[in-house]
Amino acid sequence: MHRPAAPTLVLVVFALVGLCTPALGQPRTAAAPPPADSTRFHGLSWRSVGPWRGGRVTAVAGVAGKPMVYYMGATGGGVWKTDDAGISWRPITDGQVRMGSIGAIAVAPDDDNVIYVGTGEAPIRGVSSSWGDGVYKSTDAGRTWTHTGLKDSRQISKVIVHPRNNDVVYVAAQGSRWGPGATRGVYRSGDGGKSWTRILAGDSATGPSDLVMDATNPRVLYAAMWDHQRTPWQVRSGGAGSGIWKTTDGGDTWARLTTGLPKLMGKVGVAVSPANPDRVWAIIEAEDGGLYKSEDAGKNWSLVNAERVLRARSWYYMNVFADPVNADVVYVLNAPILRSFDAGKSFTELPDPHGDNHDLWINPANPQNLIKGDDGGAATSFTGGKTWSSINNQATAQFYRVITDDRFPYWLYAGQQDNSTVAIPSATDGGGIPNEMMHDVGGGESAHLAFDPANPRYIYGTSIQGSISEYDLTNRFVRDVHPYPSVGLGEPSDQQRYRFNWSPPVIASPHDRTTLYFGGNVLFRTSDRGQSWTAVSPDLTRNDKTRQGRGGGPITNEGAGGEVYGTIYYIAESAREKGTIWVGTDDGLVQLTRDGGSTWTNVTPKDLPEALINMVEVSPHDPATAYVAVSRHRLNDNTPIAYKTTDYGRSWTRIVTGLREGEPVRVVREDPSRRNLLYAGTETGVYLSFDGGARWQPFQQNLPAVPVTDLRIKNKDLVISTEGRAFWILDDVSPLYEMSDSMAKAPLHLVAPRQAYRTSLGGGGVQAGQGTNPPNGAILQYHLATAPDSASALTLEILDGRDVVIRRFTSAAPPKDAPAGAVRSPKLPAEAGLNRFVWDLRREPAAGVPGTKSGKSPGYRVEPGSYRVRLTLGGQPRVRPLEVLPDPRAATSAEAFRGQQEMLDRVYARVGEIHGAARRLRAAREQTEGLIA
């Protein structure tokens, strides 16, 4: 993971800085303040909430001779490994790769410790798809990784390692989907990736979609070149550059293969039969496309099977694989996984745990042993594809947005790409957060979701083509509430009455949760649960007719709706001013109404070209202030862009200082508890600003490199959705509210603790294959300018309402002469910077009796009420109040809690007496035995 050089160790924070708005496009007149030192935030860490349901995987690999070991590459989540044939998976590139989108994986046949990974998935998706930064290599079976070049390759479709020399490696650098590039082509390295030579290149729009080596002769390779480009309004697949090329000298020279092949081709996949290397397969996008076969090593070709299912949605699939033992067995991957036993004449569909298939590895020693990657994850098989391992053990979901409710514990909601919508709790009672807690809430994979947070019975979820449904959480009933019901799959966008984005937005008004706003190319409103809708705006987009029409060409039309352009992409209503609504479009406009839609003003920043307005955040502190996150990556420009206005969009200031170049901004949010405290989600993680965006700093902590698509602040928790690693939460960011220059310089600063709840929620530690729960108890946080020396221990005490110390912790090592049966409390962390400690809401434990089954008795939990936390260093105490609240789900009265405490006081006192007497008797016996001896 990229880490910038650490600034000074003095934590400097400028809060509530007033910012002048310079002329548009001009630099600021005053230098931005230095950032806080995020290296001292080590007490703050993210937890993975899950769910552990797989997301899209387009690269897999097995290890010949080790049928339990496999690798998969998630499209955003990095590389994962299993040592038990898919029963469990773990990420192995976290903190070591900059970009987590994986396009290809190759294990060296002569040394399975050597692994090459090409980043940037090859299917040129228009949404939920990041890009790569070249090739990474491991020489220790995935424990450590090194970047080995080709950083501008963007999308890598295949990596091949020479079977007898792992220093010789070939890479198919497909290139950017969004525009022409000079780095496309097939590359070769002879020194293990230290240097690269391009050995096959097309024009700036043509790159290799596939690369395959003859298993019997490593000098023979076939490359499928693909002439293509994607725009936000169309996917072009096919042109003069598409074709099949062959080398017989390891890549020094290449010849184009043409005899029997279509004249105009799009995307192509190639395979060579290891059982008969003269038999070569090609799955070809063309008007007369389908599965082609050559029986003379590519000299002549013939069409074997033209079934549409083999080549549907060609830009997304077109993968063919030859069985290593039987030359008549061939696989074609598309939405289904298809296999032929008669050399491609007919195919049967295999059982499939998910569908939308992209990659396949067949064990060369056992063709019954497979691993495949699809839109739901990676799965292994030992039955030739009749049965597969689970895909519900991979936390690689791609989420579009995140929204939370007000329940206890609160729930997280989102649409998962290539799957359903998801609702999952932020915490459960003990253990982890299992997949069984997750459920669908209507809508579809690309959903925005809207509901009343206080009563989320009716949940409104959107999906592709502008569909929108109401989900009744009480009776699980779903009904369609689309303003203008239609099925627009494949219909040219200029012939549709309304245009809807692939991910159409919907919100519930913060002033009246029964009022919904829904975005097409106009803004719709309903107040009767979608029974009727009213358009409250004109067309708010550019409505550029040159950006409308068929979604794909010149061979295959794209009909799923991802190329419908000129649509509303985000809606935000001010929580402070009813009827003040901001709209962002996918073609670069920011529109504003302050009267509920009667009049609209185009308030787009004047220096902003055509772009995707990814989100608009209205300040919770000032109705005139708003933030806009902008991306031009779909126009082949990865510049980070974000704006701030303090005058309802009349003027704007760019706020990008400190953000890393080449990473578009996905989201910006302002914390409701501290004005000018901002969070940003980018292509690789999270950033933080204390000064309203004047300067940003990384706030990655332990978060892996992953696109952050949305974030929310809920009950002082920072909640994020990601594109490849599901949901994450940073519990209790209260320290950020008190960060200041004086705090950093003070020897000791105790952060005001947030309320704690006496519940059974949380705790339990990390559970394999489950989301991680928050800690159970009171989160106590404090900042130390320097770590205390051995002569000055840090102590933390909990005092009850009578100022009696009921629990004490220390950073000092336990005394060596501690009496028998003494209880050792957890050691208090005391590092320089921010520290976090969790009090489990229990009193001091009762000492046990050594050598008996009584052991140590944990202290009993305190009753809800008012307490104080006292932190002392060098004789200087810091004291803060702490409220402990009852579980809102229970109806226990204060009298019942008081009675329980009185009873436990008596019980623990009596237990203490008994254990003390037993210890004294034991000590006396030992003394007596010593005298006798």
Side-chain angles (χ1 to χ4, degrees):
M1 186 180 302
H2 172 82
R3 296 282 188 187
T8 175
L9 289 181
V10 176
L11 186 66
V12 182
V13 178
F14 291 78
L16 306 179
V17 176
L19 299 176
C20 297
T21 303
L24 287 170
Q26 299 299 314
R28 299 179 184 277
T29 56
D37 179 12
S38 58
T39 63
R40 295 172 70 88
F41 295 164
H42 51 73
L44 298 175
S45 62
W46 300 89
R47 62 179 172 96
S48 172
V49 179
W52 280 71
R53 180 170 74 173
R56 189 168 65 257
V57 168
T58 63
V60 295
V63 179
K66 294 183 178 179
M68 305 299 281
V69 179
Y70 302 87
Y71 300 90
M72 71 167 180
T75 57
V79 180
W80 292 57
K81 182 177 182 179
T82 177
D83 296 303
D84 51 21
I87 294 175
S88 63
W89 291 88
R90 67 185 188 280
I92 60 173
T93 52
D94 286 1
Q96 302 185 70
V97 301
R98 174 180 169 179
M99 304 297 290
S101 178
I102 307 301
I105 303 175
V107 179
D110 64 335
D111 183 354
D112 59 62
N113 288 297
V114 177
I115 309 167
Y116 291 90
V117 166
T119 58
E121 62 167 314
I124 57 170
R125 288 195 64 94
V127 292
S128 287
S129 182
S130 191
W131 52 89
D133 66 333
V135 179
Y136 289 82
K137 179 183 179 181
S138 174
T139 57
D140 53 13
R143 285 184 288 276
T144 60
W145 296 87
T146 304
H147 189 267
T148 60
L150 302 182
K151 67 181 181 62
D152 296 322
S153 52
R154 295 298 182 195
Q155 266 73 41
I156 291 177
S157 61
K158 189 65 71 70
V159 177
I160 297 177
V161 185
H162 192 285
R164 294 185 294 276
N165 181 0
N166 60 67
D167 281 338
V168 177
V169 58
Y170 298 85
V171 168
Q174 185 173 284
S176 172
R177 80 202 71 180
W178 298 114
T183 61
R184 303 179 193 271
V186 177
Y187 289 80
R188 180 180 62 197
S189 175
D191 54 13
K194 296 177 183 176
S195 62
W196 297 90
T197 302
R198 185 163 60 172
I199 56 176
L200 178 63
D203 59 29
S204 63
T206 302
S209 59
D210 203 359
L211 181 68
V212 63
M213 179 182 284
D214 182 344
T216 67
N217 184 352
R219 292 183 294 271
V220 177
L221 294 96
Y222 297 83
M225 301 296 282
W226 185 19
D227 190 340
H228 70 286
Q229 182 184 339
R230 191 146 199 162
T231 64
W233 51 89
Q234 189 181 62
V235 53
R236 181 184 65 78
S237 177
S242 290
I244 304 174
W245 297 72
K246 179 182 179 180
T247 179
T248 57
D249 52 18
D252 292 339
T253 60
W254 294 81
R256 185 168 186 169
L257 309 178
T258 59
T259 304
L261 294 175
K263 300 299 182 184
L264 176 64
M265 292 189 285
K267 190 176 182 182
V268 177
V270 187
V272 183
S273 171
N276 175 12
D278 285 335
R279 178 171 287 179
V280 187
W281 304 97
I283 183 72
I284 298 175
E285 177 188 13
E287 291 293 340
D288 50 349
L291 182 65
Y292 280 73
K293 181 178 66 172
S294 172
E295 296 286 12
D296 51 13
K299 295 177 183 178
N300 297 279
W301 296 83
S302 60
L303 178 62
V304 177
N305 194 316
E307 290 184 58
R308 176 57 63 179
V309 68
L310 300 176
R311 52 194 171 109
R313 215 178 183 201
S314 301
W315 63 265
Y316 197 42
Y317 304 112
M318 306 306 280
N319 297 293
V320 59
F321 300 89
D323 185 276
V325 176
N326 188 337
D328 287 338
V329 177
V330 60
Y331 295 80
V332 173
L333 304 190
N334 204 279
I337 180 168
L338 303 159
R339 181 172 59 194
S340 172
F341 288 100
D342 56 9
K345 296 176 185 177
S346 62
F347 282 85
T348 55
E349 185 174 332
L350 292 177
D352 198 342
H354 186 277
D356 294 333
N357 296 279
H358 300 287
D359 198 14
L360 181 70
W361 179 84
I362 309 171
N363 190 331
N366 177 15
Q368 295 293 103
N369 178 204
L370 315 167
I371 180 173
K372 79 180 186 79
D374 58 42
D375 278 1
T380 65
S381 176
F382 290 89
T383 59
K386 295 177 183 177
T387 56
W388 298 91
S389 64
S390 174
I391 57 175
N392 291 319
N393 52 13
Q394 305 152 35
T396 55
Q398 295 180 309
F399 288 125
Y400 281 79
R401 305 284 177 179
V402 62
I403 188 171
T404 60
D405 63 22
D406 293 340
R407 290 189 282 176
F408 185 88
Y410 63 87
W411 284 58
L412 287 64
Y413 303 77
Q416 180 183 344
Q417 175 60 45
D418 304 309
N419 223 305
S420 67
T421 53
V422 167
I424 192 168
S426 60
T428 62
D429 290 296
I433 305 175
N435 283 353
E436 288 74 15
M437 297 297 296
M438 168 186 66
H439 63 86
D440 186 354
V441 288
E445 60 183 313
S446 60
H448 285 236
L449 295 164
F451 47 77
D452 179 356
N455 181 22
R457 174 177 178 177
Y458 298 113
I459 301 173
Y460 299 89
T462 66
S463 191
I464 62 174
Q465 291 291 319
S467 66
I468 179 171
S469 64
E470 179 194 75
Y471 178 83
D472 187 335
L473 189 61
T474 300
N475 60 27
R476 303 294 196 263
F477 183 73
V478 180
R479 66 185 182 93
D480 178 35
V481 294
H482 197 293
Y484 183 74
S486 64
V487 179
L489 294 175
E491 183 179 2
S493 59
D494 56 356
Q495 297 179 25
Q496 299 178 19
R497 179 169 181 178
Y498 299 109
R499 298 185 305 277
F500 292 93
N501 195 270
W502 170 273
S503 179
V506 62
I507 67 166
S509 170
H511 305 281
D512 176 8
R513 296 299 185 180
T514 64
T515 297
L516 304 175
Y517 293 96
F518 177 46
N521 58 308
V522 302
L523 186 67
F524 295 95
R525 181 179 64 205
T526 182
S527 296
D528 57 9
R529 294 174 48 201
Q531 290 292 106
S532 62
W533 294 86
T534 302
V536 295
S537 80
D539 191 324
L540 295 177
T541 74
R542 298 179 189 269
N543 194 21
D544 185 344
K545 298 301 182 183
T546 66
R547 305 290 204 243
Q548 299 172 19
R550 280 167 51 97
I555 301 167
T556 308
N557 186 28
E558 167 57 9
E563 289 64 43
V564 176
Y565 192 65
T567 64
I568 294 172
Y569 198 70
Y570 202 83
I571 310 165
E573 184 178 10
S574 171
R576 298 174 66 91
E577 288 184 349
K578 184 177 181 179
T580 296
I581 303 170
W582 301 73
V583 163
T585 71
D586 65 356
D587 55 5
L589 298 184
V590 182
Q591 306 274 13
L592 174 66
T593 179
R594 299 189 63 190
D595 55 15
S598 297
T599 58
W600 289 87
T601 304
N602 183 342
V603 295
T604 307
K606 291 182 174 58
D607 63 341
L608 178 64
E610 188 172 6
L612 171 68
I613 308 299
N614 205 58
M615 58 73 59
V616 182
E617 165 81 345
V618 186
S619 171
H621 305 282
D622 174 23
T625 298
Y627 306 88
V628 176
V630 181
S631 176
R632 300 192 75 245
H633 80 276
R634 298 198 299 173
L635 297 164
N636 214 32
D637 177 3
N638 293 335
T639 303
I641 305 173
Y643 287 91
K644 177 182 180 179
T645 180
T646 57
D647 55 11
Y648 293 102
R650 286 188 289 272
S651 62
W652 295 87
T653 302
R654 282 207 185 205
I655 51 169
V656 296
T657 301
L659 298 177
R660 187 164 60 184
E661 284 300 315
E663 292 186 14
V665 182
R666 299 289 195 106
V667 58
V668 175
R669 301 283 185 203
E670 186 172 18
D671 198 299
S673 296
R674 178 172 178 171
R675 187 170 184 172
N676 286 325
L677 174 56
L678 306 182
Y679 310 93
T682 72
E683 205 65 31
T684 62
V686 178
Y687 284 77
L688 174 70
S689 173
F690 287 95
D691 49 22
R695 183 136 187 176
W696 297 92
Q697 61 185 294
F699 194 50
Q700 200 76 4
Q701 309 307 98
N702 61 317
L703 184 70
V706 64
V708 174
T709 56
D710 202 358
L711 50 83
R712 303 279 178 174
I713 299 88
K714 182 66 178 180
N715 300 342
K716 299 183 180 180
D717 290 346
L718 183 54
V719 181
I720 64 171
S721 57
T722 72
E723 192 176 275
R725 292 296 288 271
F727 293 126
W728 293 68
I729 294 177
L730 201 160
D731 298 295
D732 192 6
V733 296
S734 295
L736 302 182
Y737 305 150
E738 299 183 19
M739 289 291 181
S740 66
D741 188 28
S742 59
M743 169 182 164
K745 294 177 180 178
L748 175 65
H749 179 90
L750 176 60
V751 176
R754 71 174 178 183
Q755 295 172 326
Y757 288 89
R758 202 187 105 148
T759 77
S760 56
L761 290 171
V766 177
Q767 306 289 315
Q770 296 185 2
T772 301
N773 261 313
N776 181 280
I779 298 175
L780 307 176
Q781 303 176 94
Y782 46 93
H783 185 273
L784 302 177
T786 59
D789 56 33
S790 57
S792 55
L794 181 71
T795 62
L796 185 148
E797 296 167 309
I798 309 298
L799 293 81
D800 64 13
R802 296 169 296 174
D803 273 353
V804 175
V805 175
I806 60 173
R807 194 75 190 269
R808 186 177 186 275
F809 305 92
T810 178
S811 65
K816 295 181 180 180
D817 57 349
V823 177
R824 294 181 180 180
S825 293
K827 188 177 179 180
L828 198 65
E831 300 181 47
L834 184 67
N835 294 266
R836 172 176 289 204
F837 183 77
V838 178
W839 172 44
D840 59 7
L841 304 184
R842 292 182 180 274
R843 294 174 178 265
E844 293 288 352
V849 181
T852 70
K853 292 184 178 181
S854 67
K856 296 178 295 185
S857 300
Y860 55 92
R861 292 197 296 174
V862 301
E863 64 182 306
S866 298
Y867 297 84
R868 293 199 302 155
V869 180
R870 183 166 65 200
L871 191 68
T872 305
L873 179 64
Q876 298 298 317
R878 300 290 184 269
V879 181
R880 294 276 199 168
L882 169 65
E883 288 296 317
V884 176
L885 303 178
D887 191 328
R889 301 170 298 174
T892 308
S893 67
E895 291 76 13
F897 278 119
R898 184 69 260 157
Q900 180 193 56
Q901 293 291 304
E902 292 172 354
M903 178 192 69
L904 289 170
D905 284 344
R906 295 191 298 271
V907 169
Y908 267 67
R910 183 59 177 153
V911 169
E913 293 174 4
I914 295 171
H915 286 182
R919 290 194 299 272
R920 290 191 297 274
L921 286 172
R922 177 164 295 187
R925 185 182 64 185
E926 291 173 353
Q927 291 176 357
T928 303
E929 291 173 349
L931 291 173
I932 295 174

